[in-house]
Amino acid sequence: MAEPKGDNVESRTVAEANAAAGAAQSRTRAIFGSLVGLISAAGLLGTLISAYFQGRSWDYQNGVARIDKDAAAVVAALGSLNTIVDEKWISTYQMDDAIRTRKEGDELKAATARFYAANKEWERLHEQLAATLRLDVDSQFGIDAGTAPTFVNTDCLTYTLNRPEPDPAAPMSVSALLEISYNCHNVIKGRIDEKLQARGDNDSKWPAATSGSDAGADPGRTRLSHIWWVNKVLQCLMLERALELRRRSPQVPIIPSQMPLISLANSGDSKVYQMTDQQRAREEQCVEPYKTNRDLGAAAAKPQ
């Protein structure tokens, strides 16, 4: 009976050895799997970190490119504006002077030709320029010309930049300023047309002036003076906004825009440049010389 007992012991020893070996293999596989998983996780984490910083770098570069593009658009709009408003104002002044001093012959023909040529160009480019100012300047700073405070002066004989409450200190719409200039020029043009028509009806001779102050198309050149100031404010505001863009640094989101769920991380309209208190103060300096002008400013009396 001793031999079978020895066989049982030997069988148990082999079985235990096999079980121990299997357990060791299982632990080895588990450890290996854990190591592989850890290495994979570390690799994924490294990839995510690299993608995060690469995404922020792209956002910064895109932000710089966008600022440069937007600033260039404002500068281009300013260049177009300068050309058209300066020629329109100078030709109108020259035409008013020709009427006031009763020019004849070639001098009158030259002044008339220049005035109507400038007016034709003004009318041709007005809508295009107005749209450019709305899109490339006003909208960049979140200014909607349709909802911005409107200017209450329409006769162009008193300070033209008064605005009603509740927010007279809100940023000015440059496209609205262009419309003020456009409206005031149209008033003067109507009077120029009347003066030239009266001359034509009088056998191409100037009628006798009713008074010295009323001889021209713009008595006292009051409207021309207000237009000059409005144009200067308009040009100054556009220059300030171009410079403000140049001073800006890109606003890079915490979560790069290429990564998922970015819409949950960012709030507001990232395409609008928020106007700072310092910028508003600089823009007020564009308005201040006109506003405080003794003869034409906000406190000046209306001409008789």
Side-chain angles (χ1 to χ4, degrees):
M1 297 297 291
E3 289 182 3
K5 184 176 180 180
D7 291 341
N8 290 337
V9 171
E10 183 179 354
S11 298
R12 285 197 301 272
T13 300
V14 173
E16 289 173 354
N18 290 336
Q25 290 177 356
S26 296
R27 286 194 298 272
T28 300
R29 284 194 296 268
I31 293 172
F32 182 75
S34 298
L35 288 174
V36 171
L38 183 61
I39 293 172
S40 298
L44 177 60
L45 180 61
T47 300
L48 288 175
I49 292 174
S50 176
Y52 174 80
F53 285 106
Q54 183 64 57
R56 283 178 62 83
S57 176
W58 285 338
D59 282 341
Y60 183 85
Q61 293 172 16
N62 291 337
V64 170
R66 182 200 161 209
I67 289 174
D68 288 343
K69 176 177 175 293
D70 292 343
V74 176
V75 172
L78 177 59
S80 299
L81 176 75
N82 288 343
T83 300
I84 185 174
V85 300
D86 288 350
E87 175 59 19
K88 176 62 176 171
W89 192 90
I90 293 171
S91 65
T92 301
Y93 184 96
Q94 186 181 50
M95 188 71 242
D96 178 69
D97 184 70
I99 295 172
R100 187 184 299 270
T101 58
R102 300 173 175 277
K103 290 286 193 300
E104 297 286 356
D106 291 342
E107 287 185 301
L108 177 60
K109 289 180 181 179
T112 303
R114 182 178 183 181
F115 171 76
Y116 282 106
N119 185 74
K120 182 179 180 180
E121 190 71 358
W122 171 258
E123 292 291 346
R124 185 180 72 84
L125 295 177
H126 167 249
E127 286 300 326
Q128 176 184 332
L129 184 57
T132 298
L133 296 189
R134 285 194 298 270
L135 294 175
D136 291 344
V137 186
D138 282 342
S139 66
Q140 301 287 7
F141 292 91
I143 301 171
D144 183 351
T147 60
T150 56
F151 299 96
V152 297
N153 184 322
T154 57
D155 64 4
C156 308
L157 291 175
T158 57
Y159 181 67
T160 59
L161 303 187
N162 276 324
R163 294 184 291 178
E165 298 292 346
D167 192 11
M172 285 189 177
S173 162
V174 293
S175 59
L177 291 179
L178 178 67
E179 294 309 306
I180 293 175
S181 181
Y182 181 77
N183 171 66
C184 294
H185 267 302
N186 282 345
V187 174
I188 298 176
K189 179 184 179 297
R191 291 179 60 87
I192 289 175
D193 291 342
E194 292 173 0
K195 295 288 185 179
L196 292 177
Q197 183 63 47
R199 181 179 181 277
D201 294 341
N202 192 46
D203 197 22
S204 296
K205 297 179 182 178
W206 292 112
T210 56
S211 67
S213 62
D214 192 42
D218 180 26
R221 294 201 171 115
T222 303
R223 290 188 175 96
L224 276 170
S225 297
H226 282 292
I227 293 172
W228 187 89
W229 275 110
V230 170
N231 289 346
K232 293 308 171 187
V233 172
L234 172 55
Q235 292 165 325
C236 180
L237 289 178
M238 291 186 62
L239 179 59
E240 278 298 332
R241 289 177 188 176
L243 292 174
E244 177 63 21
L245 290 178
R246 294 295 187 188
R247 288 188 284 261
R248 293 286 175 113
S249 295
Q251 300 298 307
V252 180
I254 296 176
I255 300 179
S257 58
Q258 293 87 355
M259 298 185 74
L261 302 180
I262 186 62
S263 60
L264 300 179
N266 288 336
S267 60
D269 186 357
S270 61
K271 296 183 179 180
V272 172
Y273 298 100
Q274 298 300 321
M275 193 169 290
T276 64
D277 291 340
Q278 292 85 347
Q279 183 184 356
R280 290 197 182 197
R282 285 191 291 266
E283 292 200 355
E284 283 298 319
Q285 292 304 308
C286 290
V287 181
E288 193 66 16
Y290 177 31
K291 186 177 182 180
T292 58
N293 185 277
R294 182 184 63 182
D295 300 318
L296 303 169
K302 185 173 182 177
Q304 301 295 323

